[in-house]
Amino acid sequence: MARSDAQPERGPWPRLRGDLEISSPKEGEDGYVVLVRDPWSGELFEFSEEDYFLLSCLDGTLGAAGTMNRFEEDFEQRIGEEQLQQFIAMVSEWGLLEGTTTFVVAR
């Protein structure tokens, strides 16, 4: 019997849409927040400092390992692959990423 070393299919690292309107960080009740407006739908999304950091890492090139490492360096806490995958799925569902591919996080 042949052993299978199959890995989950990995698409390219997601990229945030370039047409989104992004505010400067503003102080909110629970720290800094960044507002992101989708010009297509008019919807406004509010991101915490940590979530906006993750959003900004969706640049089409950084990758999961780079994102997780930078997050740990900047916030002195770890983010797991599953948490990152859930975040990417959420912003993809909201239509904030280029294309409609489902992304699989792999280190």
Side-chain angles (χ1 to χ4, degrees):
M1 228 185 216
R3 187 174 143 241
S4 172
D5 290 323
Q7 301 253 335
E9 187 175 326
R10 296 180 186 106
W13 188 244
R15 180 183 303 276
L16 191 62
R17 284 182 23 216
D19 65 336
L20 298 172
E21 299 168 3
I22 301 172
S23 75
S24 298
K26 299 183 183 338
E27 194 164 353
E29 290 180 20
D30 298 321
Y32 285 94
V33 297
V34 175
L35 301 177
V36 177
R37 186 180 166 282
D38 182 342
W40 291 356
S41 68
E43 285 189 82
L44 190 63
F45 301 92
E46 184 177 297
F47 289 90
S48 67
E49 184 178 5
E50 292 89 347
D51 286 345
Y52 180 69
F53 176 87
L54 294 176
L55 191 69
S56 68
C57 288
L58 302 179
D59 62 359
T61 60
L62 184 58
T67 298
M68 290 186 288
N69 289 337
R70 286 186 183 178
F71 188 89
E72 187 172 359
E73 289 170 9
D74 284 14
F75 295 102
E76 297 180 356
Q77 59 181 331
R78 295 183 59 119
I79 182 169
E81 290 178 25
E82 186 175 329
Q83 290 172 294
L84 183 56
Q85 179 67 44
Q86 289 172 351
F87 179 81
I88 293 170
M90 178 182 72
V91 296
S92 179
E93 186 177 304
W94 290 347
L96 302 182
L97 303 177
E98 290 182 358
T100 58
T101 306
T102 298
F103 298 95
V104 175
V105 171
R107 259 186 120 149

XYZ file of all heavy atoms in Angstrom:
854
model
N 0.825 -1.171 0.000
C 0.000 0.000 0.000
C 0.877 1.244 0.000
O 1.771 1.367 0.809
C -0.856 0.005 1.260
C -2.281 0.272 1.003
S -3.075 0.383 2.626
C -4.572 -0.357 2.173
N 0.574 2.169 -0.874
C 1.341 3.411 -0.954
C 0.848 4.381 0.114
O -0.336 4.488 0.362
C 1.183 4.033 -2.328
N 1.792 5.029 0.734
C 1.457 6.018 1.743
C 1.141 7.340 1.055
O 1.859 7.778 0.180
C 2.644 6.192 2.686
C 2.341 7.054 3.854
C 3.521 7.054 4.827
N 3.615 8.401 5.351
C 4.651 9.199 5.208
N 5.711 8.806 4.567
N 4.640 10.411 5.701
N 0.081 7.984 1.455
C -0.307 9.255 0.856
C 0.191 10.411 1.706
O -0.043 10.454 2.902
C -1.830 9.336 0.721
O -2.196 10.622 0.307
N 0.897 11.322 1.080
C 1.350 12.532 1.757
C 0.549 13.729 1.280
O 1.033 14.848 1.257
C 2.838 12.776 1.494
C 3.704 11.746 2.204
O 3.335 11.365 3.325
O 4.733 11.339 1.641
N -0.687 13.473 0.902
C -1.515 14.551 0.361
C -1.745 15.629 1.401
O -1.988 15.346 2.561
C -2.849 13.992 -0.117
N -1.657 16.854 0.983
C -1.903 18.013 1.826
C -3.200 18.655 1.365
O -3.585 18.494 0.219
C -0.764 19.018 1.650
C 0.582 18.441 1.994
C 1.098 18.988 3.294
O 0.723 20.070 3.691
N 1.922 18.242 3.957
N -3.846 19.401 2.231
C -5.037 20.119 1.781
C -4.669 21.068 0.647
O -3.580 21.618 0.629
C -5.485 20.920 3.008
C -4.704 20.404 4.149
C -3.532 19.659 3.610
N -5.589 21.242 -0.271
C -5.347 22.150 -1.382
C -5.191 23.561 -0.843
O -5.947 24.015 -0.002
C -6.525 22.092 -2.357
C -6.279 22.874 -3.605
C -7.401 22.712 -4.589
O -7.994 21.635 -4.645
O -7.671 23.686 -5.307
N -4.189 24.257 -1.335
C -3.926 25.620 -0.884
C -4.050 26.551 -2.069
O -3.423 26.369 -3.080
C -2.526 25.730 -0.306
C -2.333 24.891 0.923
C -0.912 25.049 1.452
N -0.732 24.135 2.544
C -0.019 23.032 2.471
N 0.580 22.698 1.375
N 0.096 22.257 3.511
N -4.838 27.580 -1.882
C -4.933 28.596 -2.911
C -3.908 29.676 -2.628
O -3.166 29.604 -1.657
N -3.865 30.684 -3.455
C -2.955 31.800 -3.177
C -3.397 32.527 -1.914
O -4.557 32.444 -1.523
C -3.117 32.687 -4.413
C -4.468 32.351 -4.952
C -4.696 30.901 -4.626
N -2.458 33.212 -1.278
C -2.793 33.974 -0.075
C -3.773 35.065 -0.474
O -3.587 35.747 -1.475
C -1.524 34.551 0.538
C -1.745 35.192 1.870
C -1.564 36.511 2.154
C -2.192 34.571 3.069
N -1.867 36.741 3.483
C -2.258 35.569 4.068
C -2.546 33.270 3.416
C -2.659 35.305 5.376
C -2.951 33.003 4.713
C -3.004 34.010 5.675
N -4.847 35.235 0.286
C -5.880 36.211 -0.091
C -5.375 37.653 -0.090
O -4.421 37.996 0.605
C -6.976 36.008 0.954
C -6.335 35.301 2.088
C -5.182 34.540 1.532
N -6.070 38.465 -0.881
C -5.732 39.885 -0.991
C -6.985 40.715 -0.716
O -8.053 40.461 -1.259
C -5.223 40.198 -2.390
C -4.851 41.668 -2.586
C -4.421 41.962 -4.023
N -3.308 41.152 -4.456
C -2.018 41.424 -4.234
N -1.687 42.510 -3.560
N -1.081 40.628 -4.685
N -6.810 41.720 0.124
C -7.874 42.664 0.432
C -8.207 43.459 -0.830
O -7.311 43.819 -1.592
C -7.369 43.609 1.531
C -8.350 44.525 2.219
C -9.410 43.704 2.947
C -7.603 45.413 3.196
N -9.476 43.727 -1.050
C -9.876 44.528 -2.206
C -9.252 45.916 -2.128
O -9.246 46.548 -1.078
C -11.393 44.664 -2.270
C -12.074 43.422 -2.770
C -13.575 43.534 -2.905
N -14.098 44.869 -3.042
C -15.251 45.272 -2.503
N -15.993 44.441 -1.787
N -15.681 46.499 -2.666
N -8.760 46.393 -3.243
C -8.087 47.680 -3.281
C -9.016 48.877 -3.255
O -8.569 49.999 -3.034
N -10.309 48.658 -3.491
C -11.247 49.784 -3.554
C -11.928 50.092 -2.225
O -12.749 51.002 -2.148
C -12.311 49.525 -4.622
C -13.196 48.328 -4.285
O -12.757 47.442 -3.518
O -14.320 48.265 -4.802
N -11.592 49.365 -1.177
C -12.220 49.606 0.128
C -11.750 50.930 0.706
O -10.599 51.332 0.529
C -11.881 48.467 1.094
C -12.377 47.092 0.687
C -11.813 46.030 1.615
C -13.891 47.043 0.655
N -12.639 51.617 1.383
C -12.313 52.891 2.027
C -11.989 52.601 3.489
O -12.846 52.125 4.235
C -13.487 53.850 1.892
C -13.817 54.156 0.444
C -15.150 54.862 0.258
O -15.832 55.179 1.259
O -15.516 55.070 -0.915
N -10.754 52.898 3.879
C -10.266 52.540 5.211
C -9.925 53.806 5.979
O -9.157 54.643 5.506
C -9.038 51.616 5.104
C -9.431 50.345 4.331
C -8.482 51.290 6.475
C -8.284 49.438 3.984
N -10.518 53.942 7.173
C -10.277 55.124 7.998
C -8.948 55.008 8.725
O -8.377 53.929 8.845
C -11.394 55.289 9.036
O -11.238 54.333 10.081
N -8.501 56.121 9.254
C -7.366 56.104 10.169
C -7.864 55.508 11.478
O -9.049 55.618 11.797
C -6.874 57.525 10.422
O -6.424 58.105 9.231
N -6.974 54.892 12.261
C -7.413 54.352 13.556
C -8.016 55.445 14.425
O -7.513 56.565 14.472
C -6.130 53.808 14.177
C -5.206 53.587 13.020
C -5.559 54.641 12.005
N -9.127 55.099 15.089
C -9.800 56.025 15.992
C -9.960 55.343 17.342
O -10.154 54.140 17.401
C -11.179 56.388 15.432
C -11.117 57.076 14.083
C -12.492 57.468 13.612
C -12.560 58.085 12.254
N -11.411 58.700 11.683
N -9.894 56.139 18.391
C -10.048 55.563 19.719
C -11.515 55.263 19.976
O -12.383 56.110 19.788
C -9.512 56.508 20.787
C -9.351 55.818 22.115
C -8.477 56.596 23.083
O -7.885 57.606 22.687
O -8.412 56.179 24.234
N -11.790 54.011 20.361
C -13.143 53.581 20.682
C -13.236 53.192 22.140
O -12.296 53.393 22.914
N -14.369 52.618 22.510
C -14.592 52.205 23.900
C -13.591 51.153 24.366
O -13.172 51.138 25.513
C -16.014 51.671 24.063
C -17.077 52.729 23.948
C -18.462 52.152 24.114
O -18.609 51.048 24.665
O -19.416 52.822 23.675
N -13.242 50.229 23.454
C -12.364 49.114 23.818
C -11.006 49.217 23.144
O -10.417 48.218 22.761
C -13.033 47.787 23.460
C -14.321 47.574 24.230
O -14.363 47.932 25.413
O -15.282 47.053 23.637
N -10.494 50.419 22.953
C -9.211 50.599 22.286
C -9.419 51.201 20.904
O -10.465 51.774 20.608
N -8.435 51.042 20.062
C -8.502 51.628 18.730
C -9.330 50.771 17.788
O -9.318 49.541 17.876
C -7.097 51.829 18.166
C -6.394 52.988 18.807
C -5.562 52.798 19.899
C -6.600 54.282 18.346
C -4.941 53.869 20.517
C -5.982 55.363 18.949
C -5.154 55.150 20.023
O -4.547 56.223 20.626
N -10.062 51.453 16.906
C -10.853 50.770 15.882
C -10.551 51.396 14.527
O -10.163 52.560 14.430
C -12.376 50.836 16.164
C -12.726 50.133 17.456
C -12.866 52.265 16.187
N -10.729 50.591 13.497
C -10.576 51.044 12.125
C -11.882 50.737 11.416
O -12.416 49.623 11.529
C -9.393 50.338 11.430
C -9.317 50.717 9.959
C -8.083 50.669 12.133
N -12.404 51.708 10.694
C -13.638 51.526 9.940
C -13.285 51.241 8.480
O -12.432 51.912 7.902
C -14.517 52.768 10.031
C -14.923 53.183 11.448
C -15.730 54.475 11.406
C -15.706 52.074 12.130
N -13.945 50.235 7.921
C -13.741 49.856 6.526
C -15.097 49.926 5.837
O -16.046 49.273 6.267
C -13.135 48.436 6.405
C -13.006 48.028 4.951
C -11.776 48.372 7.100
N -15.180 50.719 4.779
C -16.430 50.871 4.033
C -16.299 50.199 2.675
O -15.336 50.411 1.958
C -16.771 52.348 3.841
C -18.124 52.570 3.192
C -18.407 54.064 3.024
N -19.503 54.284 2.132
C -19.451 54.215 0.808
N -18.332 53.907 0.212
N -20.512 54.434 0.078
N -17.293 49.381 2.350
C -17.358 48.731 1.047
C -18.122 49.665 0.102
O -19.323 49.874 0.281
C -18.086 47.395 1.176
C -18.155 46.625 -0.124
O -17.950 47.225 -1.208
O -18.426 45.409 -0.072
N -17.452 50.227 -0.909
C -18.145 51.159 -1.795
C -19.210 50.494 -2.668
O -20.117 51.166 -3.143
C -17.012 51.746 -2.649
C -15.937 50.725 -2.605
C -16.055 50.052 -1.271
N -19.119 49.186 -2.856
C -20.127 48.471 -3.663
C -21.441 48.392 -2.923
O -22.497 48.643 -3.469
C -19.675 47.065 -3.983
C -18.527 46.951 -4.931
C -17.884 47.955 -5.606
C -17.875 45.753 -5.303
N -16.875 47.461 -6.362
C -16.849 46.095 -6.197
C -18.050 44.425 -4.957
C -16.003 45.148 -6.763
C -17.214 43.487 -5.528
C -16.211 43.839 -6.425
N -21.373 47.975 -1.669
C -22.603 47.742 -0.900
C -22.947 48.902 0.031
O -24.072 48.980 0.512
C -22.453 46.469 -0.062
O -21.485 46.666 0.962
N -21.968 49.751 0.316
C -22.177 50.824 1.275
C -22.035 50.369 2.717
O -22.152 51.174 3.636
N -21.788 49.077 2.937
C -21.668 48.556 4.299
C -20.416 49.096 4.975
O -19.388 49.304 4.336
C -21.616 47.030 4.294
C -22.961 46.395 4.043
C -22.900 44.904 4.253
O -22.992 44.471 5.425
O -22.769 44.185 3.257
N -20.515 49.279 6.278
C -19.413 49.766 7.090
C -19.055 48.683 8.097
O -19.925 48.153 8.788
C -19.834 51.050 7.816
C -18.746 51.829 8.537
C -17.701 52.349 7.554
C -19.376 52.985 9.301
N -17.784 48.354 8.164
C -17.297 47.312 9.075
C -16.331 47.954 10.060
O -15.509 48.780 9.689
C -16.570 46.216 8.288
C -17.422 45.563 7.250
C -17.438 46.054 5.949
C -18.215 44.475 7.567
C -18.228 45.460 4.978
C -19.008 43.877 6.599
C -19.016 44.378 5.309
N -16.434 47.557 11.327
C -15.557 48.075 12.375
C -14.615 46.961 12.813
O -15.057 45.867 13.169
C -16.402 48.540 13.562
C -15.586 49.188 14.653
C -16.456 49.708 15.774
O -17.275 50.617 15.522
O -16.315 49.192 16.901
N -13.326 47.253 12.793
C -12.313 46.270 13.166
C -11.524 46.766 14.367
O -11.124 47.929 14.411
C -11.335 46.029 12.001
C -11.946 45.285 10.853
C -12.561 45.975 9.821
C -11.918 43.911 10.806
C -13.138 45.298 8.760
C -12.488 43.226 9.753
C -13.100 43.915 8.732
N -11.290 45.858 15.313
C -10.400 46.171 16.430
C -8.981 46.300 15.877
O -8.705 45.940 14.726
C -10.438 45.043 17.470
O -9.857 43.857 16.911
N -8.086 46.790 16.698
C -6.688 46.938 16.273
C -6.114 45.593 15.814
O -5.452 45.510 14.774
C -5.865 47.502 17.432
C -4.433 47.788 17.085
C -3.653 48.396 18.240
O -4.190 48.529 19.356
O -2.487 48.743 18.009
N -6.383 44.529 16.573
C -5.860 43.205 16.225
C -6.477 42.685 14.925
O -5.773 42.142 14.074
C -6.118 42.201 17.359
C -5.323 42.468 18.614
C -6.029 43.407 19.584
O -7.036 44.058 19.214
O -5.554 43.494 20.738
N -7.790 42.842 14.793
C -8.447 42.359 13.579
C -8.015 43.151 12.352
O -7.834 42.600 11.276
C -9.969 42.406 13.720
C -10.500 41.311 14.626
O -9.751 40.350 14.928
O -11.668 41.404 15.038
N -7.828 44.459 12.524
C -7.362 45.243 11.385
C -5.941 44.841 11.004
O -5.588 44.803 9.826
C -7.432 46.751 11.634
C -6.936 47.484 10.421
C -7.685 47.475 9.239
C -5.708 48.102 10.419
C -7.211 48.078 8.092
C -5.225 48.720 9.275
C -5.979 48.700 8.115
O -5.504 49.283 6.973
N -5.127 44.518 11.993
C -3.780 44.025 11.704
C -3.869 42.791 10.804
O -3.173 42.696 9.795
C -3.032 43.688 12.996
C -1.681 43.089 12.748
C -0.583 43.907 12.581
C -1.524 41.716 12.658
C 0.669 43.356 12.325
C -0.285 41.160 12.402
C 0.819 41.982 12.239
N -4.734 41.836 11.181
C -4.903 40.629 10.360
C -5.401 40.984 8.969
O -4.922 40.438 7.967
C -5.875 39.655 11.037
C -5.407 39.045 12.351
C -6.512 38.186 12.953
C -4.125 38.233 12.153
N -6.358 41.892 8.893
C -6.899 42.311 7.605
C -5.788 42.890 6.722
O -5.701 42.587 5.537
C -8.010 43.340 7.823
C -8.865 43.687 6.618
C -9.741 42.499 6.217
C -9.726 44.901 6.904
N -4.928 43.702 7.315
C -3.856 44.324 6.544
C -2.804 43.316 6.081
O -2.065 43.586 5.143
C -3.193 45.442 7.355
O -2.480 44.916 8.448
N -2.740 42.164 6.734
C -1.809 41.108 6.309
C -2.323 40.355 5.082
O -1.578 39.579 4.472
C -1.560 40.127 7.452
S -0.549 40.819 8.782
N -3.570 40.571 4.734
C -4.149 39.903 3.562
C -3.766 40.721 2.329
O -4.557 41.438 1.741
C -5.664 39.757 3.729
C -6.100 38.980 4.969
C -7.613 38.920 5.061
C -5.489 37.583 4.984
N -2.492 40.571 1.953
C -1.901 41.377 0.889
C -1.581 40.563 -0.365
O -0.972 41.067 -1.296
C -0.626 42.047 1.396
C 0.449 41.041 1.808
O 0.216 39.812 1.715
O 1.529 41.482 2.231
N -1.969 39.291 -0.363
C -1.708 38.437 -1.515
C -0.345 37.773 -1.498
O -0.061 36.941 -2.348
N 0.513 38.107 -0.530
C 1.869 37.553 -0.547
C 2.380 37.031 0.795
O 3.181 36.104 0.813
C 2.888 38.609 -1.038
O 2.855 39.726 -0.166
C 2.578 39.067 -2.449
N 1.976 37.617 1.913
C 2.596 37.326 3.210
C 2.481 35.865 3.629
O 3.448 35.256 4.062
C 2.008 38.237 4.287
C 2.625 38.119 5.676
C 4.124 38.407 5.647
C 1.928 39.045 6.638
N 1.304 35.306 3.535
C 1.098 33.917 3.931
C 0.740 33.757 5.399
O 0.863 34.691 6.191
N 0.300 32.555 5.743
C -0.169 32.270 7.097
C 0.948 32.356 8.125
O 0.788 32.981 9.171
C -0.825 30.892 7.140
N 2.086 31.728 7.841
C 3.179 31.721 8.818
C 3.656 33.141 9.100
O 3.853 33.511 10.256
C 4.328 30.852 8.320
N 3.828 33.939 8.063
C 4.259 35.320 8.248
C 3.258 36.125 9.044
O 3.623 36.925 9.917
N 1.976 35.916 8.758
C 0.925 36.634 9.480
C 0.921 36.245 10.950
O 0.876 37.113 11.829
C -0.447 36.336 8.847
O -0.439 36.815 7.501
C -1.577 36.993 9.619
N 0.986 34.955 11.226
C 0.964 34.503 12.615
C 2.198 34.977 13.375
O 2.095 35.393 14.536
C 0.808 32.989 12.675
C -0.580 32.532 12.235
S -0.911 30.759 12.429
C 0.088 30.065 11.133
N 3.362 34.948 12.723
C 4.590 35.414 13.373
C 4.527 36.904 13.672
O 4.887 37.340 14.766
C 5.816 35.102 12.511
C 6.129 33.626 12.475
O 5.752 32.873 13.368
N 6.812 33.200 11.436
N 4.094 37.703 12.706
C 4.010 39.148 12.915
C 2.982 39.496 13.984
O 3.186 40.405 14.777
C 3.663 39.857 11.614
C 4.814 39.904 10.650
C 4.474 40.723 9.443
N 5.561 40.713 8.501
C 5.523 41.309 7.332
N 4.433 41.965 6.951
N 6.554 41.262 6.515
N 1.860 38.762 14.007
C 0.831 38.995 15.023
C 1.421 38.769 16.410
O 1.230 39.585 17.314
C -0.369 38.079 14.775
C -1.542 38.383 15.667
C -2.499 39.302 15.278
C -1.688 37.749 16.889
C -3.586 39.594 16.090
C -2.767 38.025 17.716
C -3.715 38.957 17.316
N 2.149 37.666 16.562
C 2.744 37.353 17.867
C 3.765 38.414 18.268
O 3.818 38.831 19.431
C 3.400 35.974 17.825
C 3.894 35.505 19.166
C 4.370 34.069 19.172
O 4.315 33.389 18.136
O 4.804 33.629 20.253
N 4.556 38.891 17.316
C 5.542 39.930 17.615
C 4.876 41.239 18.030
O 5.302 41.886 18.979
C 6.427 40.182 16.394
C 7.393 39.065 16.088
C 8.088 39.246 14.741
O 7.951 40.324 14.104
O 8.768 38.296 14.307
N 3.833 41.641 17.315
C 3.191 42.929 17.565
C 2.284 42.938 18.792
O 2.187 43.954 19.478
C 2.372 43.374 16.347
C 3.238 43.902 15.225
O 4.472 43.692 15.247
O 2.693 44.534 14.310
N 1.596 41.823 19.053
C 0.594 41.811 20.119
C 0.955 40.914 21.296
O 0.186 40.806 22.248
C -0.775 41.402 19.548
C -1.301 42.404 18.560
C -1.215 42.157 17.196
C -1.845 43.599 18.982
C -1.675 43.079 16.277
C -2.308 44.533 18.072
C -2.216 44.273 16.715
N 2.107 40.252 21.221
C 2.582 39.368 22.285
C 1.546 38.325 22.672
O 1.361 38.001 23.850
C 3.046 40.187 23.493
C 4.220 41.082 23.168
C 4.704 41.898 24.336
O 4.087 41.850 25.426
O 5.702 42.610 24.155
N 0.844 37.841 21.663
C -0.090 36.722 21.836
C -0.128 35.948 20.531
O 0.169 36.481 19.477
C -1.477 37.206 22.247
C -2.132 38.150 21.270
C -3.496 38.605 21.759
O -4.179 37.899 22.479
N -3.892 39.800 21.359
N -0.466 34.697 20.642
C -0.475 33.829 19.464
C -1.860 33.781 18.848
O -2.859 33.882 19.538
C -0.054 32.414 19.849
C 1.375 32.335 20.328
C 1.744 30.910 20.613
N 1.578 30.131 19.393
C 2.547 29.488 18.780
N 3.744 29.511 19.279
N 2.321 28.800 17.693
N -1.876 33.593 17.541
C -3.115 33.299 16.834
C -2.895 31.957 16.156
O -1.849 31.719 15.554
C -3.496 34.400 15.823
C -4.825 34.054 15.161
C -2.402 34.627 14.807
C -5.426 35.164 14.351
N -3.853 31.056 16.304
C -3.731 29.739 15.721
C -4.200 29.716 14.275
O -4.879 30.630 13.799
N -3.831 28.653 13.578
C -4.227 28.498 12.184
C -5.746 28.490 12.034
O -6.280 29.084 11.101
C -3.635 27.209 11.607
C -2.146 27.274 11.433
C -1.555 25.983 10.905
O -2.275 25.216 10.233
O -0.365 25.751 11.164
N -6.439 27.832 12.961
C -7.906 27.757 12.878
C -8.532 29.138 13.063
O -9.456 29.512 12.337
C -8.451 26.786 13.918
C -9.949 26.572 13.771
C -10.484 25.518 14.728
O -9.746 24.576 15.070
O -11.650 25.661 15.125
N -8.014 29.910 14.008
C -8.531 31.266 14.214
C -8.300 32.121 12.973
O -9.177 32.883 12.560
C -7.842 31.934 15.406
C -8.196 31.360 16.748
C -7.311 31.970 17.812
O -6.100 31.765 17.828
N -7.925 32.743 18.711
N -7.128 31.998 12.378
C -6.806 32.762 11.183
C -7.712 32.346 10.032
O -8.235 33.189 9.303
C -5.331 32.592 10.820
C -4.829 33.392 9.627
C -5.081 34.880 9.805
C -3.332 33.114 9.421
N -7.923 31.052 9.887
C -8.809 30.550 8.833
C -10.230 31.091 9.022
O -10.872 31.496 8.050
C -8.836 29.020 8.845
C -9.748 28.404 7.801
C -9.263 28.653 6.386
O -8.084 28.522 6.110
N -10.154 29.010 5.495
N -10.714 31.115 10.258
C -12.052 31.639 10.532
C -12.144 33.129 10.211
O -13.144 33.589 9.664
C -12.436 31.393 11.994
C -12.701 29.950 12.301
C -12.888 29.687 13.792
O -12.657 30.550 14.629
N -13.313 28.472 14.120
N -11.091 33.879 10.522
C -11.078 35.301 10.206
C -11.132 35.515 8.693
O -11.910 36.335 8.195
C -9.830 35.968 10.800
C -9.749 37.431 10.481
C -10.468 38.350 11.229
C -8.987 37.884 9.421
C -10.419 39.706 10.926
C -8.929 39.234 9.103
C -9.643 40.145 9.859
N -10.317 34.760 7.968
C -10.293 34.885 6.504
C -11.655 34.514 5.918
O -12.162 35.200 5.032
C -9.166 34.024 5.894
C -7.802 34.590 6.309
C -9.294 33.960 4.376
C -6.637 33.685 5.971
N -12.260 33.455 6.427
C -13.587 33.043 5.942
C -14.613 34.144 6.203
O -15.458 34.427 5.340
C -14.005 31.739 6.614
N -14.533 34.778 7.357
C -15.482 35.828 7.716
C -15.362 37.020 6.769
O -16.361 37.470 6.204
C -15.234 36.279 9.159
C -16.121 37.407 9.629
S -15.723 37.929 11.322
C -14.151 38.768 11.084
N -14.145 37.523 6.561
C -14.000 38.703 5.702
C -14.256 38.361 4.238
O -14.703 39.205 3.477
C -12.646 39.431 5.905
C -12.544 39.983 7.319
C -11.470 38.560 5.560
N -14.012 37.108 3.870
C -14.342 36.664 2.517
C -15.853 36.651 2.321
O -16.372 37.130 1.303
C -13.762 35.274 2.261
O -14.094 34.827 0.971
N -16.570 36.140 3.310
C -18.035 36.109 3.267
C -18.610 37.521 3.187
O -19.626 37.752 2.547
C -18.572 35.390 4.505
C -20.063 35.182 4.506
C -20.516 34.394 5.715
O -20.005 33.280 5.915
O -21.368 34.909 6.468
N -17.949 38.467 3.824
C -18.390 39.859 3.786
C -18.065 40.523 2.447
O -18.459 41.657 2.208
C -17.749 40.654 4.905
C -18.236 40.307 6.279
C -19.331 39.549 6.610
C -17.642 40.688 7.511
N -19.443 39.458 7.971
C -18.419 40.140 8.551
C -16.519 41.440 7.839
C -18.127 40.325 9.891
C -16.212 41.623 9.172
C -17.011 41.074 10.190
N -17.279 39.832 1.598
C -16.945 40.373 0.280
C -15.791 41.353 0.290
O -15.661 42.157 -0.633
N -14.920 41.289 1.292
C -13.830 42.249 1.399
C -12.548 41.803 0.698
O -11.584 42.569 0.619
C -13.530 42.546 2.871
C -14.704 43.093 3.689
C -14.257 43.385 5.120
C -15.301 44.336 3.045
N -12.531 40.576 0.181
C -11.340 40.051 -0.481
C -11.532 39.986 -1.982
O -12.649 39.831 -2.472
C -11.010 38.645 0.051
C -10.786 38.528 1.549
C -10.538 37.073 1.927
C -9.640 39.417 2.004
N -10.428 40.086 -2.705
C -10.479 39.928 -4.151
C -10.854 38.486 -4.471
O -10.389 37.557 -3.823
C -9.116 40.241 -4.774
C -8.753 41.697 -4.723
C -7.425 41.993 -5.400
O -6.754 41.057 -5.876
O -7.053 43.167 -5.429
N -11.705 38.283 -5.479
C -12.078 36.937 -5.895
C -13.001 36.260 -4.905
O -13.413 36.821 -3.904
N -13.299 35.006 -5.166
C -14.221 34.262 -4.311
C -13.660 32.922 -3.880
O -14.378 32.065 -3.417
C -15.559 34.026 -5.047
O -15.276 33.326 -6.257
C -16.261 35.327 -5.343
N -12.352 32.725 -4.009
C -11.710 31.463 -3.650
C -11.796 31.233 -2.159
O -11.673 32.162 -1.374
C -10.235 31.481 -4.064
O -10.144 31.813 -5.436
C -9.562 30.153 -3.814
N -11.983 29.978 -1.742
C -11.901 29.618 -0.332
C -10.442 29.335 -0.038
O -9.789 28.585 -0.755
C -12.741 28.371 -0.034
O -14.089 28.682 -0.333
C -12.625 27.969 1.418
N -9.903 29.917 1.011
C -8.501 29.792 1.321
C -8.296 28.824 2.463
O -9.030 28.834 3.432
C -7.908 31.159 1.688
C -7.993 32.131 0.570
C -9.047 33.008 0.494
C -7.057 32.136 -0.430
C -9.172 33.889 -0.561
C -7.149 33.023 -1.480
C -8.211 33.896 -1.541
N -7.251 27.986 2.347
C -6.886 27.043 3.394
C -5.588 27.534 3.995
O -4.603 27.736 3.285
C -6.700 25.617 2.834
C -6.209 24.681 3.908
C -8.014 25.126 2.240
N -5.581 27.740 5.289
C -4.387 28.202 5.974
C -3.494 27.027 6.230
O -3.923 26.004 6.759
C -4.763 28.874 7.319
C -3.515 29.164 8.128
C -5.558 30.134 7.069
N -2.253 27.148 5.844
C -1.259 26.112 6.114
C 0.058 26.802 6.401
O 0.430 27.734 5.720
C -1.124 25.169 4.936
N 0.718 26.341 7.405
C 2.006 26.929 7.782
C 3.114 26.408 6.949
O 3.199 25.343 6.509
C 2.293 26.617 9.234
C 1.990 27.798 10.098
C 2.423 27.504 11.468
N 3.406 28.512 11.793
C 3.585 28.966 12.991
N 2.920 28.509 13.983
N 4.477 29.884 13.249
